[in-house]
Amino acid sequence: MSKVKTGVLLVLGLIWLAPIYLLLVNASKSIDGYDAKTVWKPGGFSLFTNFGDAWNKAALGETLVATTMYSVIAPVLAVLIGAAVGYAIVVLRLKHGFLWFVFIFGGTIFPLQMVLMPLFTGYADTGLYDTRVGMIIVYTAISVPFSAFVMRNFFTGIARSVFEAAIVDGGGLFRIFRSIYLPMAGSALAAIFILQATFIWNDLLLGLTLSQSDSVRPIMPALTGLQSTYGGAALPTVLAGGLLVSLPTVILFLAAQRFFSRGLALGQF
Amino acid sequence: MRNRAADRTGARLAPVFGLPAAAVVAVLLYIPFLWTTYISFTNYDGLASPVWAGLANYKAMFSDPDLTGALLNTLLWVVGLVTLPVALGLLVAVLTYGHKWGTWLRLPFLLPYAISGVAVGVIWGFVLQPDGALGQVLGFFGLPGAHAGWLQAGPGNTLMMIVAVTWQAAGVNALLFVVGLQSIPGEPLEAARLDGAEGFSLFRYHLWPQLRPITTVVIGLSIVASLKTFDVVWVMTQGGPGTSSETLALSMYKETFVLNDYGQGAAIALFLSVVTFAASILYLRYQLGDSREQG
């Protein structure tokens, strides 16, 4: 029985790895050496040349800088804002706290499609369209509800006496938040950060809608641009681009697997 | 006495800590939500003022052949994603759970999950190109379809994209099912084993009933994800050829930002929201229930 199990898993696993194999092999072929008839055969190693090509043709350098900014700054802001509201509701016992919570967490229920058009027109009117600040604001906003959800749950698990003792010691509310509650929440903050950073890194729809120029556009819309412009002509370049933009999330995922499963179980978007 | 002092200090400043979250959510999510809802009942091109149109946009959604096509494709996505990746995820979870090398044997399935929808689209667009990798494998084994244009006609193109997303999503479902399996108490299972239950009957009568809560979560997440399907389709076919592989999420984008029919786009968005909301209730009920028990 156990052998059958292992056998089934190995066969399925190999099928699952096949597209990754094809990606690696063909992203490594030189553009001249690529032949649609021999995609299964390895041949040559021009991976870094192809990386360079993708980098230049899709202006990946600039978009990489922008996307990294979005994927770091927005989740940091969201984590702080979420922690603050969690602190207000659970620790400070905000009046009607549960209503506040429902209102904020309610932000996750409608699909992005529901806010795209008003954001587009609103951004155009306020001069936020196609700006890095605008992208950071919108990515922060969509990350806040989930962050508030996790932080509220996390703070619920901390004994009230911690807060009472801190008050007796004469700490101000901001100081108690900054130097007691935030440090205690380290692992929860990290989990939210990783999940939201990945989500932002992989976003296509908001980037497509709210940005245009190379210096603002996130990396996924840039990759789709590369594909439609250089499609059939230079498949190794496109594949190398796909591989390049996937590396950060794959590495992050492998390093922080348990955060992902936990976050998913919490109902990520 | 301490308690009261702490409560009083806390209550005074509490709104200051709560306000940023509420403000950001209100301005960037709720107000746009209300605006889209209003626009869905109007004709609006983004320039002239919106003109009240009642249910016209909704009627169009269910009578315009392009949009009903997108509706059917979206339904196909829902059915596809609540069956294929869920069944495969369950299979992988049950086979790897308790296996000596379980963690390693699960890894091939988890890897695609870490890849973005856009990159998945790029990879599978490549695999499925005419006479591409898949065609060559089929040809090698003498199977039909070696020269098929996988993405060139509906509903085949939608089915192949469902396969691509199955490749991406099965691993996460496996991970969630493993979490579910871990929560099943071991002793009744041992007793069942001693009574001679094994293989499929052990699964059918002892594991499967206990997996019900996590199955609800997995199916709920799958429905929500399938309704929002956008990036893989955008990369692989852009909804084409024609509109043969459009999903509602993609039609919404096209109506609004390509055809400037903001009202129609808004109606599609609202319809999607209502369905997503209904699906979310399915699994949110379980999750909020869980967190209350823990907290």
Side-chain angles (χ1 to χ4, degrees), chain B residues 82-208:
Chain B
V82 297
T83 50
L84 291 179
V86 174
L88 271 163
L90 183 61
L91 181 72
V92 170
V94 171
L95 292 182
T96 55
Y97 184 64
H99 195 290
K100 218 190 323 177
W101 302 301
T103 319
W104 290 104
L105 288 169
R106 242 185 339 258
L107 202 60
F109 304 95
L110 282 171
L111 214 52
Y113 172 60
I115 299 173
S116 69
V118 173
V120 169
V122 168
I123 297 170
W124 279 84
F126 168 75
V127 170
L128 295 175
Q129 62 180 323
D131 295 314
L134 181 63
Q136 288 172 26
V137 171
L138 294 175
F140 182 80
F141 289 107
L143 294 165
H147 305 287
W150 298 104
L151 300 172
Q152 253 116 69
N157 45 17
T158 296
L159 290 175
M160 290 322 284
M161 288 189 280
I162 291 174
V163 169
V165 173
T166 299
W167 178 73
Q168 183 191 29
V172 200
N173 293 340
L175 208 60
L176 289 169
F177 278 123
V178 167
V179 172
L181 286 168
Q182 278 163 351
S183 68
I184 297 178
E187 281 163 24
L189 268 189
E190 270 319 301
R193 273 207 190 96
L194 288 176
D195 287 344
E198 60 173 299
F200 187 73
S201 87
L202 182 75
F203 172 76
R204 171 72 185 79
Y205 295 105
H206 299 281
L207 292 179
W208 177 239

Side-chain angles (χ1 to χ4, degrees), chain A:
Chain A
M1 188 59 207
S2 169
K3 272 184 190 154
V4 178
K5 269 190 189 178
T6 314
V8 172
L9 280 169
L10 284 176
V11 171
L12 261 182
L14 284 177
I15 295 176
W16 243 251
L17 288 176
I20 306 246
Y21 165 81
L22 288 166
L23 171 70
L24 292 175
V25 163
N26 291 288
S28 302
K29 289 178 184 165
S30 70
I31 293 173
D32 297 331
Y34 172 80
D35 180 353
K37 291 190 186 72
T38 57
V39 288
W40 286 96
K41 291 203 186 82
F45 190 78
S46 311
L47 183 59
F48 292 103
T49 320
N50 294 337
F51 275 165
D53 264 7
W55 188 271
N56 296 329
K57 282 183 183 152
L60 285 187
E62 263 184 301
T63 57
L64 203 67
V65 172
T67 313
T68 309
M69 263 174 74
Y70 307 150
S71 314
V72 173
I73 299 176
V76 165
L77 290 175
V79 153
L80 288 177
I81 294 172
V85 70
Y87 177 69
I89 293 172
V90 177
V91 182
L92 306 183
R93 298 189 171 163
L94 178 65
K95 225 178 162 189
H96 309 301
F98 191 70
L99 282 182
W100 283 70
F101 172 70
V102 169
F103 178 78
I104 290 160
F105 187 60
T108 56
I109 53 178
F110 23 82
L112 273 183
Q113 265 81 11
M114 208 54 205
V115 297
L116 280 181
M117 182 269 288
L119 284 181
F120 172 72
T121 48
Y123 266 39
D125 290 345
T126 52
L128 284 170
Y129 177 76
D130 201 27
T131 64
R132 288 181 173 181
V133 175
M135 297 310 292
I136 290 172
I137 292 176
V138 71
Y139 285 132
T140 304
I142 54 167
S143 305
V144 160
F146 177 69
S147 167
F149 175 78
V150 176
M151 292 318 295
R152 173 184 165 272
N153 284 353
F154 182 84
F155 286 146
T156 311
I158 294 174
R160 174 113 185 125
S161 53
V162 172
F163 178 65
E164 285 163 6
I167 288 283
V168 171
D169 286 348
L173 294 183
F174 283 95
R175 251 199 70 189
I176 296 174
F177 177 62
R178 192 167 47 90
S179 43
I180 298 180
Y181 279 84
L182 274 187
M184 263 197 301
S187 71
L189 298 176
I192 305 168
F193 176 85
I194 289 171
L195 280 164
Q196 296 309 126
T198 314
F199 171 78
I200 293 166
W201 185 272
N202 288 340
D203 166 69
L204 171 67
L205 200 46
L206 287 166
L208 216 51
T209 311
L210 299 176
S211 68
Q212 194 175 29
S213 55
D214 285 338
S215 58
V216 179
R217 197 161 62 147
I219 203 144
M220 291 305 159
L223 180 61
T224 63
L226 181 71
Q227 194 208 23
S228 50
T229 318
Y230 296 95
L235 265 169
T237 309
V238 179
L239 292 172
L243 180 59
L244 193 64
V245 305
S246 301
L247 285 176
T249 47
V250 170
I251 293 167
L252 194 65
F253 177 80
L254 293 178
Q257 229 190 81
R258 68 202 170 92
F259 286 136
F260 282 86
S261 52
R262 194 193 303 161
L264 261 162
L266 286 170
Q268 165 75 324
F269 293 94

